[in-house]
């Protein structure tokens, strides 16, 4: 009798140990800002990851837009309830990276737990935006895109104009013909990202002192320069001539203008082709962001926008292992290819890019490759990106002053002077906070 | 010959114009929700219903991923309902008690307490959200309905409103009650509360919607999508719109809006009776 | 205060305690934290902080964007308050007068309050959309060169309109309940005394409505100052050129979006002082005219 009891006890306790081991998968909390269809893909990625192993359970939670998500992360961190992974966007990079001790650099994490980390695995355009000044990657770029030009092939044919413009000089020659055919020539969706930050990168111009802000927080912005002013004077001219349409700040409104055939060309992101395929009822193509031949003879590449995944510190080591494991999964060629195909964001590793090429993806969808090609263009001194504090507010200042230029409330000189003064005041505050 | 009562005509005209002004957007939201997203993208808001009523509402209500993968509109509806009802009832009880104390009792801290309560109107939740979050986390109330409701009850609107009403109650009423030997509690329950019926109705209706429409606080202090409210779902669709790059599902946003509007409308219909003029038995 | 009151000492404290307790934990404590934060320069994650006296105040308050926001807030709040109060009063009085279809009118006039601010903003956006907005097309058709993306007046028009729309139905509900609270006998007696409906309204009904009106005036001004950022956020976002940025929207932008906690706390404190002053003025000078 007794032996039977002992055996039963043994069986039960082993069984419960086994089941509890199976049920004790470590939860990894991931807060993200991907809504709509993107959020669905995020959930699919989590499902795939969870199905591929049993040690960790990845739980993605949508926390609103980029700013809402960052603020949620901040509030949680201060209350010691932070998630394991937080998605932070480009304008918030300085805030999270300069908070020493808030995150564990992904390079370190993967070096320790994922069998190594080599930045050369990643395509050149994405490597340094979320890295520190020594080149160590702090945040893992997740949804990365770069500005591209989309052009309405039917409209161009109608106007008798050949191909998309490579330079702004070519654009100015084409615009009158497009106007004659009933189109505004151009609209674009993000004045800071497209017409300021990547303008500087494409023309290899310095954006801010201190190595574009990477070296220190005691920096000044350099937007008030003759090239930018020349460009914006031109844009205002184009607006007045009816060659440029301004449909407000919202990304979607300017994209709609292209979809609704009011404008013949639109500056959007490398990921936009997916949505355009569904909503545009005309043939369109994608090409590189134009540049001024008068400013640079051989234009450089652009850098990424979007957001990156940061590993929050202050979590148990077991969970950090899980984060590293997931990042390894996420950066595998299969997952990157999957993410790239489903969303249009660029694959961040060379291996994934090769895989897509080998798979013939770009034969069927050539537009998907243009972004990566632009990111792979030769880099210059100023193509790595920027690291500027309170950049959300600075972008606000930029929007404000660009609107004043468009409405005629300020001249280009006045607007850029105001922009410089307010931005530098913000940078000075940031420096005082973080030094 | 019948004389035209111009007064009546003008009254009805004003009312009809008012109704059109206030209700048209609601109707348009409904009509637009029954169309395909491509139509809306091309032509804007619709005035007449389209053919997608069942498809849209079915997707939104019952299909997971109708809005967000893990959450259906039903779940969000439930959360919003609990928030709305809990908040409204909690508010009424707490503010009536506090207003009663401040108006009908002579005690030293009455005025300072009133101003402290009033101050809550001056610092909206959005501004004190991060410290509030820390308090919640410390009390282990994250992801709970209690945690959702409590901080919202802190504000003064209800108390201020009841204070106004209580101040207008004739003194004779209280004198008569005291002569009859009524205790403060009896006076409150037997006389004051019935008198305040229309006021209570107004506050319940308004506060229900305030709780119902909460966006920021539930978003920040819940860590599981299953606890999200309806407005979060709506805002999320709107976010997709603003960010561009995908086909904006306006029709789902509007469908959610109509669903979000239904319970408050029901609340109004239910409490309509309390608005009926001439509560004869309460006349003094 | 009232002439006749209870004299108990502990009961009032008991009744008031629940609200005070909640306020202490969920308002005073976080508010105190926010005030404390206004004197610090702190990184968003709370890892390093420095006490800087009034630097946050001087940095942010006298910047041109703050002054622009302050000016717009004054105009905006005044317009929204008086327009929505006036409209609501008119509709409530009329709805109270009719016998036919009274219920229908009242219900349909109340609906709008249920619409969440982001949604009201969304609809406003779509109605004024340059490409597909019906109102946009209509306004341009009648000769108003409407462009709320670039013209500050037009943008202001949009946010005022939507805010008034939303607030009118709330005010309507309160006014209606106030009107219902007036005993029938009083109205009957007044009708006998004074045949002129308009005069009757102004000399009898309106003064009786005064407590409600005062409440609405104070809360509407507060609403216009604080709660309208939801609408601004979903329509103009403070554009163009900062022309439709209100003070509270700026707080939200700097603090919630831009993670500048010290600066936004300082702005909130200043905002709080402004509204407090306005409220004290209202209580001091206007309340004495209110007959209870």
């Amino acid at each position: 009798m007794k032996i039977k009891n002992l055996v039963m006890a043994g069986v039960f306790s082993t069984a419960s140990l086994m089941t509890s081991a199976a049920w004790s998968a470590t939860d990894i909390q991931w807060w993200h800002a991907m809504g709509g269809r993107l959020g669905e893909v995020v959930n699919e990625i989590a499902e795939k990851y969870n199905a591929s192993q049993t040690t960790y359970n990845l739980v993605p939670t949508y926390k609103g837009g980029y700013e809402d998500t960052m603020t949620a992360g901040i509030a949680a961190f201060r209350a010691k309830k932070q998630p394991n992974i937080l998605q932070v966007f480009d304008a918030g990079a300085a805030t999270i990276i300069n908070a020493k001790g808030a995150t564990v650099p992904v390079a370190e994490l993967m070096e320790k737990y994922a069998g190594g980390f080599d930045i050369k695995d990643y395509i050149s355009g994405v490597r340094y935006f979320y890295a520190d000044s020594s080149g160590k990657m702090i945040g893992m770029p997740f949804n990365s895109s770069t500005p591209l030009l989309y052009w309405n092939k039917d409209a161009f044919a109608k106007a008798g104009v050949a191909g998309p413009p490579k330079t702004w000089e070519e654009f100015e020659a084409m615009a009158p013909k497009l106007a004659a055919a009933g189109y505004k020539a151009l609209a674009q969706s993000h004045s800071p990202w497209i017409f300021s930050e990547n303008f500087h990168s494409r023309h290899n111009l310095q954006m801010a002192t201190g190595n574009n802000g990477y070296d220190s927080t005691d920096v000044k912005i350099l937007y008030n320069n003759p090239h930018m002013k020349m460009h914006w004077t031109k844009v205002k001219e184009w607006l007045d001539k009816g060659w440029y349409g301004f449909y407000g700040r919202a990304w979607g409104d300017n994209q709609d203008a292209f979809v609704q055939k009011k404008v013949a060309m639109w500056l959007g992101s490398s990921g936009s082709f997916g949505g355009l395929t569904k909503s545009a009822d005309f043939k369109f193509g994608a090409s590189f962001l134009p540049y001024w031949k008068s400013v640079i003879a051989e234009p450089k590449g652009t850098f990424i926008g979007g957001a990156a995944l940061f590993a929050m510190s202050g979590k148990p080591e077991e969970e950090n292992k899980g984060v590293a494991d997931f990042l390894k999964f996420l950066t595998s060629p299969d997952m990157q290819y999957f993410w790239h195909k489903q969303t249009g964001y660029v694959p961040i590793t060379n291996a994934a890019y090769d895989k897509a090429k080998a798979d013939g993806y770009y034969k069927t969808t050539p537009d998907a490759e243009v972004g990566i090609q632009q990111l792979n263009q030769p880099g210059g001194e100023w193509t790595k990106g920027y690291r500027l504090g309170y950049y959300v507010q600075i972008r606000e200042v930029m929007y404000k002053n660009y609107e004043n230029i468009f409405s005629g409330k300020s001249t280009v000189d006045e607007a850029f002077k105001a922009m410089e003064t307010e931005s530098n005041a913000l940078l000075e505050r940031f420096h005082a906070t973080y030094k | 010959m019948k004389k035209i009562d111009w007064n009546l005509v003008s009254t009805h005209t004003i009312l009809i114009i008012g109704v059109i002004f206030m209700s048209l957007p609601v109707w348009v939201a409904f009509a637009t929700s029954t169309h395909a997203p491509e139509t809306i993208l091309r032509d804007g808001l619709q005035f007449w219903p389209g053919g997608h009523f069942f498809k849209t509402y079915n997707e939104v209500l019952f299909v997971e991923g109708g809005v967000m993968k893990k959450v259906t509109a039903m779940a969000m509806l439930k959360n919003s309902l609990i928030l709305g009802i809990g908040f409204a009832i909690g508010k009424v009880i707490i503010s009536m008690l506090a207003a009663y104390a401040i108006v009908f009792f002579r005690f030293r801290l009455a005025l300072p307490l009133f101003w402290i309560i009033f101050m809550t109107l001056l610092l909206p939740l959005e501004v004190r959200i991060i410290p509030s979050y820390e308090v919640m986390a410390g009390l282990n109330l994250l992801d709970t309905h209690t945690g959702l409701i409590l901080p919202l009850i802190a504000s003064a609107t209800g108390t201020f409103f009841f204070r106004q009403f209580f101040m207008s109650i004739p003194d004779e009423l209280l004198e008569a009650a005291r002569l009859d030997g009524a205790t403060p509690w009896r006076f409150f329950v037997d006389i004051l509360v019935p008198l305040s019926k229309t006021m209570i109705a107004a506050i319940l209706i308004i506060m229900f919607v305030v709780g119902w429409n909460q966006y920021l606080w539930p978003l920040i202090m819940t860590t599981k999508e299953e606890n999200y409210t309806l407005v979060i779902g709506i805002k999320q669709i709107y976010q997709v719109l603003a960010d561009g790059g995908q086909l904006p599902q306006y029709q789902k946003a509007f469908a959610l809006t109509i669903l979000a509007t239904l319970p408050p409308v029901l609340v109004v219909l239910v409490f309509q009776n309390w608005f009926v003029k001439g509560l004869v038995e309460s006349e003094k | 205060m009232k002439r006749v009151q209870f004299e108990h000492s502990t009961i009032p404290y008991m009744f008031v305690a629940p609200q005070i307790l909640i306020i202490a934990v969920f308002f005073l404590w976080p508010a105190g934290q926010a005030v404390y934060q206004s004197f610090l320069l702190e990184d968003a994650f709370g890892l390093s902080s420095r006490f800087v006296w009034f630097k946050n105040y001087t940095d942010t308050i006298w910047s041109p964007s703050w002054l622009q926001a302050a000016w717009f807030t004054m105009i905006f709040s005044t317009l929204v308050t008086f327009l929505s109060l006036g409209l609501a009063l008119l509709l409530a009085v009329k709805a109270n007068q009719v016998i036919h279809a009274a219920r229908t009118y009242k219900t349909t006039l109340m609906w709008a309050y249920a619409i969440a601010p982001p949604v009201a903003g969304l609809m406003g956006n779509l109605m004024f959309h340059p490409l597909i907005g019906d109102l946009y097309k209509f306004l341009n058709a009648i000769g108003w060169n409407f462009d709320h993306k670039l013209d500050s007046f037009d943008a202001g028009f949009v946010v005022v309109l939507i805010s008034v729309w939303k607030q009118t139905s709330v005010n309507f509900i309160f006014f209606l309940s106030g009107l219902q609270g007036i005993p029938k006998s009083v109205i009957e007696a007044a009708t006998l005394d004074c045949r002129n409906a308009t005069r009757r309204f102004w000399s009898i009904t309106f003064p009786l409505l005064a407590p409600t009106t005062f409440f609405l005036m104070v809360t509407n001004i507060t609403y216009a100052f604080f709660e309208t950022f939801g609408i601004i956020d979903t329509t103009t976002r403070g554009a163009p050129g900062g022309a439709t940025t209100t003070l509270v929207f700026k707080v939200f932008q700097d603090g919630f979006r831009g993670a500048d906690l010290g600066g936004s706390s300082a702005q909130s404190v200043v905002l709080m002082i402004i509204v407090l002053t306005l409220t004290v003025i209202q209580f001091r000078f206007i309340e004495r005219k209110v007959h209870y």
Side-chain angles (χ1 to χ4, degrees), chain A residues 67-68 70-71 73-74 77-78 86 89 95-96 99-102 239 246-249 253 256-257 260 262 312 390 392-393 396 399-401 403-404 406-407 409 422 426 428-429 432-435, chain C residues 37 41-48 50 55-56 59-60 63-65 68 129-132 147 149-152 236-243 252-263:
Chain A
E67 291 108 346
D68 293 346
M70 186 166 85
T71 308
I74 289 175
F77 187 85
R78 294 171 76 99
L86 184 68
F89 64 130
T95 304
I96 192 167
K100 303 263 176 311
L239 180 78
F246 177 66
Y247 298 91
R249 294 187 187 190
D253 290 341
D256 283 348
Q260 307 235 354
K262 299 271 185 324
M312 304 304 288
Y390 289 149
V392 172
Q393 290 97 308
E396 193 53 45
Y399 274 123
K400 204 168 62 161
N401 283 292
E403 278 156 6
N404 284 340
F406 283 149
S407 66
K409 238 198 233 166
E422 268 201 81
L426 285 163
E428 189 251 305
R429 261 183 74 77
T433 314
Y434 283 84
K435 67 172 177 213
Chain C
Q37 212 156 42
L41 263 187
E42 190 178 30
D43 86 284
F45 288 90
L47 294 167
S48 69
R50 273 185 344 162
K55 178 170 163 57
N56 287 329
D59 271 357
T60 48
S63 65
S65 41
Q68 184 186 29
H129 200 283
L131 292 169
I132 55 177
D147 183 3
K149 306 281 186 190
L150 279 183
D151 185 303
S152 346
T236 59
R237 284 220 152 177
F252 188 68
Q253 270 183 337
D254 288 345
F256 200 80
R257 297 252 158 90
D260 178 3
L261 300 176

Side-chain angles (χ1 to χ4, degrees), chain A residues 37 43 60 62-63 260, chain B residues 41 70 219 222 225 228 236:
Chain A
R37 168 92 192 111
N43 288 331
Y62 170 73
K63 288 305 255 177
Q260 307 235 354
Chain B
L41 199 59
K70 288 187 257 182
L219 183 67
T222 55
E225 281 181 16
Y228 279 173
Q236 194 240 20

Side-chain angles (χ1 to χ4, degrees), chain C residues 228-268:
Chain C
T228 46
F229 81 165
I231 291 180
I232 296 180
D233 194 35
T234 48
T235 48
T236 59
R237 284 220 152 177
T244 54
T245 307
T246 55
L247 288 173
V248 78
F249 187 69
K250 196 161 182 320
V251 168
F252 188 68
Q253 270 183 337
D254 288 345
F256 200 80
R257 297 252 158 90
D260 178 3
L261 300 176
S264 64
S265 305
Q267 289 176 50
S268 326

Side-chain angles (χ1 to χ4, degrees), chain A residues 207-234:
Chain A
M207 250 179 73
T209 60
N211 196 10
N212 266 6
Y214 279 94
D215 287 346
S216 104
T217 50
D218 188 7
V219 294
K220 293 206 180 332
I221 207 130
L222 295 171
Y223 278 144
N224 190 9
N225 65 64
H227 302 296
M228 271 284 265
K229 289 202 273 199
M230 177 274 285
H231 180 71
W232 278 89
T233 313
K234 285 284 183 185

